[in-house]
Amino acid sequence: QVQLVESGGGLVKPGGSLRLSCVASGFTFSDYYMSWIRQAPGKGLEWVSYISSSSTYTNYADSVKGRFTISRDNAKNSLYLQMNSLRAEDTAVYYCARTQADGYYFDYWGQGTLVTVSS
Amino acid sequence: QSALTQPASVSGSPGQSITISCTGTSSDVGGYNYVSWYQQHPGKAPKLMIYDVTNRPSGVSNRFSGSKSGNTASLTISGLQAEDEAAYYCSSYTSSSTLGVFGGGTKLTVL
């Protein structure tokens, strides 16, 4: 069965950096687009970034452009999100999700990892 | 402010039907058949319930259905059950952004 397991969240000071990881299993990882989606405490969902199956295409929300970098290692079935210059408003649960590029929807989600940006 | 507008809350009694609306523009909901719906229970990850406006993934109950008229998409849940109590989010492709957009979410209460 499809599984996505995120890790790497934690408490970081404003201006700091963090790298999130997501390990996939149960499907051919290299065939699919992947995304990071976040949810601030008590708030709705925000699509943060996506990456194409072979890393050719990436896109970012305006709120994170220039600060976050998405990447993947298909040999390791892994997705990453490098987050720099973190701000308090980046505090959220970050989900990785398998993304259907022909319909812009997310058919499998991880359990999420909490990132807290606070001094 | 979310790009897609959903009611903050809806409620219904067991066995009843409810509909959650998701209003956008011709640049997103109205212009493309790329609307999806997600169910999220407290403390859990979202789960895909509907994709491409009307399609149900394998394993999702046929009590859930999707539709669209103009710039508004709708999720209908028939035969309400206690386990349907959750937050529901719509999402759509948009030509206004390089990424898709979500609605603000609707909290469904089963009375």
Side-chain angles (χ1 to χ4, degrees):
Chain A
Q1 72 282 20
V2 173
Q3 277 198 307
L4 299 168
V5 180
E6 303 96 333
S7 60
L11 175 63
V12 61
K13 288 182 169 51
S17 298
L18 214 52
R19 189 195 196 206
L20 305 184
S21 299
C22 170
V23 177
S25 61
F27 65 101
T28 304
F29 182 71
S30 58
D31 284 348
Y32 289 88
Y33 280 47
M34 296 294 295
S35 297
W36 288 100
I37 298 151
R38 69 183 179 184
Q39 185 172 35
K43 302 296 184 182
L45 301 168
E46 179 187 18
W47 196 352
V48 173
S49 180
Y50 78 75
I51 187 168
S52 63
S53 54
S54 56
S55 304
T56 304
Y57 306 108
T58 60
N59 267 309
Y60 301 90
D62 288 343
S63 56
V64 307
K65 204 169 289 184
R67 301 187 298 122
F68 289 12
T69 302
I70 191 171
S71 62
R72 64 191 295 164
D73 184 336
N74 287 343
K76 295 182 178 179
N77 289 345
S78 294
L79 174 72
Y80 307 103
L81 186 67
Q82 177 67 44
M83 304 186 295
N84 298 330
S85 304
L86 282 161
R87 306 166 180 167
E89 54 265 35
D90 295 318
T91 294
V93 174
Y94 285 73
Y95 297 100
C96 71
R98 195 175 81 169
T99 304
Q100 294 291 345
D102 59 350
Y104 287 80
Y105 61 91
F106 315 102
D107 56 356
Y108 290 94
W109 299 62
Q111 85 289 350
T113 187
L114 176 62
V115 172
T116 303
V117 184
S118 175
S119 55
Chain B
Q1 187 174 358
S2 301
L4 305 179
T5 300
Q6 297 180 235
S9 63
V10 299
S11 62
S13 299
Q16 287 186 331
S17 294
I18 64 96
T19 297
I20 299 171
S21 61
C22 171
T23 302
T25 69
S26 57
S27 296
D28 40 64
V29 173
Y32 308 91
N33 289 324
Y34 294 142
V35 176
S36 52
W37 290 90
Y38 304 88
Q39 175 192 64
Q40 187 180 35
H41 288 107
K44 300 294 186 183
K47 174 187 176 184
L48 177 67
M49 305 303 285
I50 296 288
Y51 67 96
D52 293 352
V53 179
T54 61
N55 295 325
R56 222 174 20 253
S58 173
V60 172
S61 171
N62 59 10
R63 298 186 298 105
F64 292 82
S65 61
S67 62
K68 189 182 81 167
S69 178
N71 294 335
T72 298
S74 298
L75 173 70
T76 297
I77 309 173
S78 59
L80 267 181
Q81 298 179 1
E83 66 250 35
D84 299 332
E85 185 163 294
Y88 291 85
Y89 294 90
C90 62
S91 180
S92 174
Y93 168 82
T94 175
S95 59
S96 304
S97 169
T98 53
L99 298 178
V101 292
F102 283 98
T106 298
K107 175 71 169 74
L108 168 63
T109 300
V110 180
L111 301 170

